[in-house]
């Protein structure tokens, strides 16, 4: 029972650090649908997609084939599927940021194509093998230890990732505050200069009219 509590204690935060996006969407001809996911550096991500049969029976029509591109924030390609009805991808992110998966209809068809898409990141994207289905105690404990190790690693990486993001946000906040202070100071200087110029102009005007 204690092992169960330990596994729950470790896995729950880890699963909170991971995401699973499962969706179904429609693709119109000549239109591209892009879905983005925030993945940290060295984070594992996997996904699968398939075209839904519009007839519910038989095979999916060939003119419903799609093209799929998965790219990094800097535009590096991680997966490319051309004229396919289904596919899978998996990668370890080389950089942090928003990774995108873009879908488009490959063929010429007036029909709207429906796609099922699942995208997993973090510990949720990993699959554990139980060694060919053996259920003895050692195999179960080995698999649970692998899960715990991956969960701890995921939490550790997520903590550093959040710390880096917090540092970036703090730097941006400080830079913005500095610019606002400079802008405010410049505005005060301009206002005082304009006020002084107006006073000088009025004084000169009254002196010319011999009112002072």
């Amino acid at each position: 029972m204690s092992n169960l509590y330990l596994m729950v204690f470790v896995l729950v935060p880890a699963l909170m650090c991971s995401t699973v996006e499962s969706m179904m969407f429609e693709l119109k001809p000549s239109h591209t649908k892009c879905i983005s996911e925030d993945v940290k550096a060295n984070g594992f991500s996997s996904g699968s997609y398939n075209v839904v049969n519009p007839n519910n029976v038989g095979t999916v029509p060939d003119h419903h084939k799609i093209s799929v591109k998965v790219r990094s924030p800097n535009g590096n390609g991680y997966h490319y599927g051309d004229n396919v009805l289904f596919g899978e991808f998996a990668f370890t992110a080389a950089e942090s940021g928003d990774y995108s998966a873009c879908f488009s209809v490959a063929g010429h068809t007036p029909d709207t194509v429906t796609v099922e898409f699942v995208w997993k990141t973090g510990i949720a994207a990993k699959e554990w093998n139980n060694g060919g289905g053996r259920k003895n105690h050692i195999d179960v404990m080995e698999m649970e230890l692998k899960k715990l190790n991956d969960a701890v690693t995921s939490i550790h990486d997520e903590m550093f990732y959040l710390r880096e993001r917090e540092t970036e946000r703090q730097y941006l906040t400080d830079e913005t505050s500095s610019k606002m202070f400079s802008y405010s100071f410049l505005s005060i200087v301009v206002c005082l200069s304009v006020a002084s110029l107006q006073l000088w102009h009025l004084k000169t005007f009254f002196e010319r009219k011999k009112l002072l």
Side-chain angles (χ1 to χ4, degrees), residues 24-27 50-53 64 112-116:
M24 181 182 294
F25 56 88
E26 293 183 343
L27 277 178
N50 65 277
V51 177
V52 178
N53 191 346
H64 278 207
T112 298
V113 178
T114 304
V115 179
E116 286 182 339

Side-chain angles (χ1 to χ4, degrees), residues 20-208:
V20 178
E21 287 194 26
S22 179
M23 65 191 72
M24 181 182 294
F25 56 88
E26 293 183 343
L27 277 178
K28 295 182 179 180
S30 303
H31 285 76
T32 300
K33 172 76 173 181
C34 289
I35 299 164
S36 62
E37 181 67 32
D38 185 21
V39 184
K40 64 179 181 294
N42 298 319
F44 187 72
S45 183
S46 65
S48 61
Y49 54 88
N50 65 277
V51 177
V52 178
N53 191 346
N55 302 320
N56 296 323
V57 293
T59 59
V60 181
D62 286 339
H63 58 271
H64 278 207
K65 290 183 177 181
I66 59 176
S67 294
V68 184
K69 295 180 181 179
V70 179
R71 296 183 180 275
S72 70
N74 290 331
N76 298 321
Y78 277 83
H79 173 77
Y80 179 64
D82 187 26
N83 286 308
V84 295
L85 294 174
F86 59 89
E88 296 179 345
F89 62 85
F91 61 88
T92 299
E95 56 191 313
S96 300
D98 289 332
Y99 286 72
S100 62
C102 295
F103 299 80
S104 61
V105 179
H108 299 283
T109 174
D111 300 335
T112 298
V113 178
T114 304
V115 179
E116 286 182 339
F117 180 47
V118 178
W119 197 346
K120 302 177 182 179
T121 59
I123 193 173
K126 294 186 176 181
E127 299 291 341
W128 291 281
N129 194 332
N130 63 1
R134 293 174 297 173
K135 297 299 182 179
N136 60 63
H137 181 69
I138 296 179
D139 291 332
V140 173
M141 289 299 297
E142 182 182 359
M143 186 171 63
E144 297 303 330
L145 286 174
K146 287 182 180 179
K147 291 182 181 180
L148 290 174
N149 180 68
D150 285 342
V152 171
T153 303
S154 178
I155 295 173
H156 181 267
D157 293 341
E158 187 69 20
M159 289 176 62
F160 276 95
Y161 176 65
L162 292 176
R163 185 179 299 176
E164 290 176 358
R165 294 294 294 270
E166 181 63 27
T167 302
E168 292 175 0
R169 283 194 291 267
Q170 185 63 40
Y171 175 77
L172 181 61
T173 301
D174 294 342
E175 187 178 15
T176 303
S177 299
S178 177
K179 290 182 179 180
M180 288 297 296
F181 176 79
S182 301
Y183 176 77
S184 299
F185 180 77
L186 180 61
S187 298
I188 293 174
V189 171
V190 171
C191 290
L192 290 176
S193 300
V194 171
S196 300
L197 183 62
Q198 289 178 337
L199 289 175
W200 177 81
H201 179 74
L202 288 173
K203 181 181 179 182
T204 303
F205 174 78
F206 288 140
E207 287 178 347
R208 287 178 179 177

